DNA sequence: TACATATTTGCAACTTTGTTGCAAAACAAA
DNA sequence: TTTGTTTTGCAACAAAGTTGCAAATATGTA
């Protein structure tokens, strides 16, 4: 794990530092998306708040994670899959927020439905956020 | 206009006050959605920030306006159409954010597409935010 | 390995955004 | 007009995010 995250950082031409390794590990260990506050909690007093802000920002720029808009207006982040690179995200999937456990999932295999816009409007991006109850919570 | 907004307030069983009338007028005069900061700017020093927060909250509860999730994580609000009432919103439309002018539109006549969720997931609500270039900006 | 250079971090100070309690002001009903 | 209820503004606070800068850490080279 430790070696794997270092590789990812190097591939993105980032210096390999404690905070970056640690924060990237959190994402690999988590099933859902993480907010700034989650990382702050997970890391205890290990890093300064500012470092977490800057690390998340850097990861987004490098195409390592993407940010997720949610209905309750809290920014969350999740790992990008394959083909995101610096300045080029290709995260064409919908997001699901569980009303029970609060987890935010990337549903990678559900593609974004096409919407028919009124005349004159042109679209560059479509975000879909579905809320409801997730698999785990429905089973329980 | 002044009389019209007073009517709406009374219908929702709200006291008719200066701030409520004024803020509701802003929404009727605006083509797009408004954020708290927009209202603060539009009203100058006329009202306290706290009053604006409380007024928006009250309007949402009464079904007069609805809040709109946006990709840049700023809450915006727009007027509800017909059949929203206290505690019962029926705003089944998508939202469009223009990358050029920044305006957020409610596209009332575009219905929410159905998405096929993975086994085990059940949905209660779907939010769709399309970004791109709006009619006005495309024409210009 | 040691050094020089470039990058990142932590701290402090600050801004912006949002919340709460409470007394004064405004409103609604009689 | 009077009375009781609701709303407002103020103050104080909490949470969230930003910026500049010096110290610490990482990287590439000798
Ligand atoms: Mn995602
Ligand atoms: Mn709307
Ligand atoms: Zn769940
Ligand atoms: Zn536009």
């Amino acid at each position: 794990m430790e070696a794997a995250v270092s590789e990812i950082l190097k591939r993105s031409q980032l210096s390999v530092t404690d905070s970056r390794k640690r924060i990237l590990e959190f994402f690999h260990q988590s099933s859902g998306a993480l907010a700034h506050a989650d990382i702050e909690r997970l890391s205890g007093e290990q890093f300064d708040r500012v470092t977490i802000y800057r690390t998340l920002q850097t990861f987004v720029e490098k195409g390592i994670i993407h940010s997720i808009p949610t209905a309750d207006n809290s920014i969350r982040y999740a790992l990008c899959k394959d083909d995101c690179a610096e300045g080029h995200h290709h995260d064409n999937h919908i997001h699901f927020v569980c009303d029970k456990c609060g987890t935010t999932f990337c549903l990678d295999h559900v593609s974004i439905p096409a919407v028919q816009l009124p005349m004159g409007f042109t679209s560059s991006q479509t975000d879909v956020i579905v809320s409801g109850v997730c698999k785990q919570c429905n089973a329980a």
Side-chain angles (χ1 to χ4, degrees), chain A:
Chain A
M1 166 59 80
E2 167 116 23
V5 295
S6 298
E7 263 317 298
I8 295 171
L9 293 171
K10 281 181 195 155
R11 206 179 310 147
S12 296
Q13 293 166 306
L14 289 174
S15 311
V16 179
T17 66
D18 284 351
S19 43
R20 286 176 181 168
K21 278 191 289 185
R22 205 73 220 296
I23 293 174
L24 193 45
E25 277 174 9
F26 290 147
F27 280 105
H28 278 96
Q29 287 160 3
S30 164
S31 58
L34 298 174
H36 178 276
D38 296 320
I39 295 168
E40 211 168 334
R41 190 170 29 71
L42 285 168
S43 58
E45 299 284 278
Q46 201 170 0
F47 313 115
D48 194 84
R49 274 174 356 103
V50 180
T51 300
I52 299 176
Y53 280 116
R54 292 197 270 223
T55 302
L56 290 171
Q57 194 179 297
T58 302
F59 284 2
V60 170
E61 285 165 4
K62 291 291 185 176
I64 298 173
I65 60 175
H66 60 278
S67 71
I68 304 172
T70 56
D72 71 322
N73 259 72
S74 64
I75 316 184
R76 297 194 195 166
Y77 302 88
L79 285 174
C80 290
K81 308 291 152 151
D82 320 315
D83 49 344
C84 292
E86 176 150 15
H88 291 284
H89 282 268
H90 301 278
D91 304 291
N92 290 319
H93 55 263
I94 76 165
H95 291 109
F96 184 94
V97 183
C98 180
D99 295 328
K100 283 244 172 75
C101 65
T103 311
T104 300
F105 300 93
C106 296
L107 297 185
D108 296 292
H109 302 298
V110 180
S111 55
I112 305 270
V115 296
Q116 176 77 29
L117 295 177
M119 276 291 289
F121 288 76
T122 49
S123 92
S124 61
Q125 210 207 334
T126 304
D127 283 294
V128 178
I129 308 118
V130 179
S131 40
V133 181
C134 78
K135 198 170 184 173
Q136 281 99 324
C137 292
N138 264 325

